[in-house]
Amino acid sequence: MRIQNNTAAFNVWASYSQNSSALKKSMTKLSTGVISNTDDAAGLGISERMRAEVKGVTMARNNVNNAISLVQTADGWLQKINDMTARLKALKIEHEGIVSTTDQANIAKEFDALVNEVIRITGTTSSDTNAAAQFNGNNLLGAGKTFAVQIGASSGQTISIT
Protein backbone atom coordinates (compact mmCIF):
# COMPACT_ATOMS: atom_id res chain seq x y z
CA MET A 1 0.00 0.00 0.00
CA ARG A 2 1.32 3.39 -0.93
CA ILE A 3 0.29 6.82 0.49
CA GLN A 4 0.72 9.80 -1.70
CA ASN A 5 1.42 13.21 -0.24
CA ASN A 6 0.88 16.55 -1.85
CA THR A 7 4.03 18.31 -0.58
CA ALA A 8 3.28 21.50 -2.47
CA ALA A 9 -0.13 21.75 -0.79
CA PHE A 10 1.47 21.30 2.63
CA ASN A 11 3.96 24.08 1.87
CA VAL A 12 1.15 26.38 0.73
CA TRP A 13 -0.81 25.60 3.91
CA ALA A 14 2.21 26.29 6.15
CA SER A 15 2.90 29.62 4.39
CA TYR A 16 -0.78 30.55 4.63
CA SER A 17 -0.82 29.79 8.38
CA GLN A 18 2.31 31.87 9.03
CA ASN A 19 1.01 34.82 7.02
CA SER A 20 -2.42 34.60 8.66
CA SER A 21 -0.80 34.62 12.11
CA ALA A 22 1.44 37.56 11.20
CA LEU A 23 -1.56 39.47 9.81
CA LYS A 24 -3.51 38.83 13.01
CA LYS A 25 -0.60 40.16 15.14
CA SER A 26 -0.25 43.25 12.93
CA MET A 27 -3.99 44.00 13.10
CA THR A 28 -3.92 43.64 16.89
CA LYS A 29 -0.99 46.05 17.17
CA LEU A 30 -2.68 48.56 14.88
CA SER A 31 -6.03 48.40 16.64
CA THR A 32 -4.69 48.61 20.21
CA GLY A 33 -1.58 50.71 19.70
CA VAL A 34 0.40 48.28 21.85
CA ILE A 35 3.88 47.47 20.66
CA SER A 36 6.51 45.27 22.20
CA ASN A 37 10.17 45.99 22.73
CA THR A 38 11.04 43.60 19.91
CA ASP A 39 9.03 45.65 17.41
CA ASP A 40 10.84 48.98 17.95
CA ALA A 41 13.29 48.99 20.85
CA ALA A 42 14.50 52.56 20.21
CA GLY A 43 10.95 53.86 19.79
CA LEU A 44 9.87 52.11 22.97
CA GLY A 45 12.78 53.69 24.86
CA ILE A 46 11.83 57.14 23.59
CA SER A 47 8.19 56.49 24.45
CA GLU A 48 9.02 55.42 28.01
CA ARG A 49 11.31 58.44 28.52
CA MET A 50 8.51 60.72 27.32
CA ARG A 51 6.03 58.94 29.60
CA ALA A 52 8.36 59.56 32.57
CA GLU A 53 8.73 63.20 31.50
CA VAL A 54 4.95 63.61 31.44
CA LYS A 55 4.69 62.13 34.94
CA GLY A 56 7.42 64.50 36.13
CA VAL A 57 5.66 67.50 34.60
CA THR A 58 2.39 66.42 36.23
CA MET A 59 4.09 66.25 39.63
CA ALA A 60 5.76 69.62 39.01
CA ARG A 61 2.33 71.10 38.23
CA ASN A 62 1.05 69.72 41.55
CA ASN A 63 4.06 71.30 43.30
CA VAL A 64 3.30 74.66 41.69
CA ASN A 65 -0.34 74.41 42.79
CA ASN A 66 0.83 73.66 46.34
CA ALA A 67 3.18 76.66 46.20
CA ILE A 68 0.28 78.85 45.07
CA SER A 69 -1.75 77.58 48.03
CA LEU A 70 1.18 78.31 50.36
CA VAL A 71 1.45 81.89 49.09
CA GLN A 72 -2.32 82.39 49.32
CA THR A 73 -2.31 81.09 52.89
CA ALA A 74 0.56 83.41 53.83
CA ASP A 75 -1.24 86.31 52.13
CA GLY A 76 -4.37 85.63 54.18
CA TRP A 77 -2.39 85.68 57.42
CA LEU A 78 -0.53 88.82 56.40
CA GLN A 79 -3.86 90.53 55.67
CA LYS A 80 -5.03 89.63 59.19
CA ILE A 81 -1.83 91.09 60.64
CA ASN A 82 -2.26 94.20 58.49
CA ASP A 83 -5.79 94.66 59.85
CA MET A 84 -4.47 94.26 63.40
CA THR A 85 -1.67 96.78 62.92
CA ALA A 86 -4.17 99.29 61.54
CA ARG A 87 -6.26 98.74 64.67
CA LEU A 88 -3.13 99.10 66.84
CA LYS A 89 -2.43 102.47 65.22
CA ALA A 90 -6.02 103.60 65.84
CA LEU A 91 -5.78 102.48 69.47
CA LYS A 92 -2.50 104.35 69.94
CA ILE A 93 -4.06 107.54 68.60
CA GLU A 94 -7.17 107.03 70.73
CA HIS A 95 -5.01 106.40 73.82
CA GLU A 96 -3.24 109.74 73.29
CA GLY A 97 -6.55 111.58 73.04
CA ILE A 98 -8.72 112.97 75.77
CA VAL A 99 -10.04 109.81 77.45
CA SER A 100 -10.46 108.74 81.04
CA THR A 101 -7.90 106.59 82.80
CA THR A 102 -10.40 103.69 82.74
CA ASP A 103 -10.68 104.06 78.96
CA GLN A 104 -6.90 104.21 78.68
CA ALA A 105 -6.62 100.98 80.67
CA ASN A 106 -9.19 99.26 78.43
CA ILE A 107 -7.39 100.55 75.32
CA ALA A 108 -4.09 99.23 76.69
CA LYS A 109 -5.69 95.81 77.33
CA GLU A 110 -6.97 95.65 73.76
CA PHE A 111 -3.60 96.86 72.45
CA ASP A 112 -1.75 94.14 74.40
CA ALA A 113 -4.23 91.49 73.25
CA LEU A 114 -3.69 92.47 69.60
CA VAL A 115 0.11 92.41 70.00
CA ASN A 116 -0.12 88.95 71.60
CA GLU A 117 -2.33 87.76 68.72
CA VAL A 118 0.24 88.94 66.15
CA ILE A 119 2.93 87.08 68.10
CA ARG A 120 0.71 83.97 68.21
CA ILE A 121 0.11 84.12 64.46
CA THR A 122 3.75 84.63 63.48
CA GLY A 123 5.45 82.58 66.17
CA THR A 124 8.80 83.60 67.60
CA THR A 125 11.11 81.56 65.34
CA SER A 126 10.89 79.83 61.97
CA SER A 127 10.70 76.49 63.80
CA ASP A 128 7.94 77.54 66.21
CA THR A 129 5.33 74.79 65.91
CA ASN A 130 2.76 76.82 67.86
CA ALA A 131 2.50 79.58 65.27
CA ALA A 132 -0.98 79.87 63.77
CA ALA A 133 0.30 80.86 60.31
CA GLN A 134 1.32 77.41 59.08
CA PHE A 135 1.18 75.43 55.87
CA ASN A 136 1.67 71.65 56.09
CA GLY A 137 3.22 72.06 59.51
CA ASN A 138 5.67 74.78 58.44
CA ASN A 139 5.61 78.21 60.02
CA LEU A 140 5.00 80.67 57.16
CA LEU A 141 5.87 83.94 58.84
CA GLY A 142 8.82 83.01 61.04
CA ALA A 143 12.22 84.61 60.66
CA GLY A 144 14.03 83.74 57.43
CA LYS A 145 11.85 80.85 56.30
CA THR A 146 12.52 79.77 52.70
CA PHE A 147 10.64 77.11 50.74
CA ALA A 148 12.21 75.44 47.68
CA VAL A 149 9.65 74.31 45.11
CA GLN A 150 10.43 71.85 42.30
CA ILE A 151 8.64 73.45 39.32
CA GLY A 152 10.02 71.34 36.47
CA ALA A 153 10.43 67.71 35.55
CA SER A 154 14.24 67.91 35.60
CA SER A 155 16.59 68.27 38.51
CA GLY A 156 17.44 71.86 39.42
CA GLN A 157 14.23 73.36 38.06
CA THR A 158 13.25 75.01 41.33
CA ILE A 159 12.19 78.35 42.72
CA SER A 160 12.55 79.67 46.25
CA ILE A 161 9.82 81.37 48.23
CA THR A 162 11.03 83.39 51.18
Side-chain angles (χ1 to χ4, degrees):
M1 183 162 145
R2 186 170 169 209
I3 300 176
Q4 290 187 342
N5 291 331
N6 189 347
T7 308
F10 286 137
N11 289 339
V12 168
W13 177 254
S15 294
Y16 167 77
S17 296
Q18 287 176 347
N19 288 335
S20 178
S21 176
L23 178 65
K24 191 183 287 184
K25 285 181 185 178
S26 294
M27 293 302 281
T28 301
K29 289 176 189 177
L30 285 172
S31 65
T32 63
V34 176
I35 61 170
S36 68
N37 57 0
T38 58
D39 294 329
D40 182 11
L44 185 63
I46 292 168
S47 171
E48 290 304 313
R49 190 174 67 244
M50 289 177 70
R51 189 183 320 265
E53 184 80 10
V54 167
K55 286 181 181 180
V57 168
T58 301
M59 194 67 235
R61 185 185 69 222
N62 291 345
N63 289 346
V64 169
N65 287 335
N66 283 340
I68 290 169
S69 295
L70 179 140
V71 170
Q72 289 172 336
T73 302
D75 181 59
W77 284 110
L78 288 171
Q79 185 59 49
K80 293 276 186 199
I81 292 172
N82 185 50
D83 294 345
M84 288 182 212
T85 55
R87 180 65 181 150
L88 287 170
K89 181 178 181 179
L91 288 172
K92 177 68 173 155
I93 292 169
E94 185 179 2
H95 187 270
E96 299 298 323
I98 303 173
V99 290
S100 68
T101 53
T102 304
D103 291 339
Q104 284 181 337
N106 289 334
I107 291 168
K109 283 181 186 177
E110 183 180 351
F111 190 92
D112 290 343
L114 283 171
V115 168
N116 287 333
E117 181 62 7
V118 170
I119 291 170
R120 186 188 74 81
I121 290 170
T122 60
T124 55
T125 66
S126 62
S127 62
D128 189 353
T129 57
N130 294 323
Q134 291 190 7
F135 186 83
N136 286 341
N138 293 301
N139 183 2
L140 293 175
L141 305 177
K145 187 68 177 176
T146 300
F147 298 92
V149 181
Q150 179 77 24
I151 61 166
S154 299
S155 177
Q157 295 177 328
T158 61
I159 59 169
S160 295
I161 301 172
T162 303

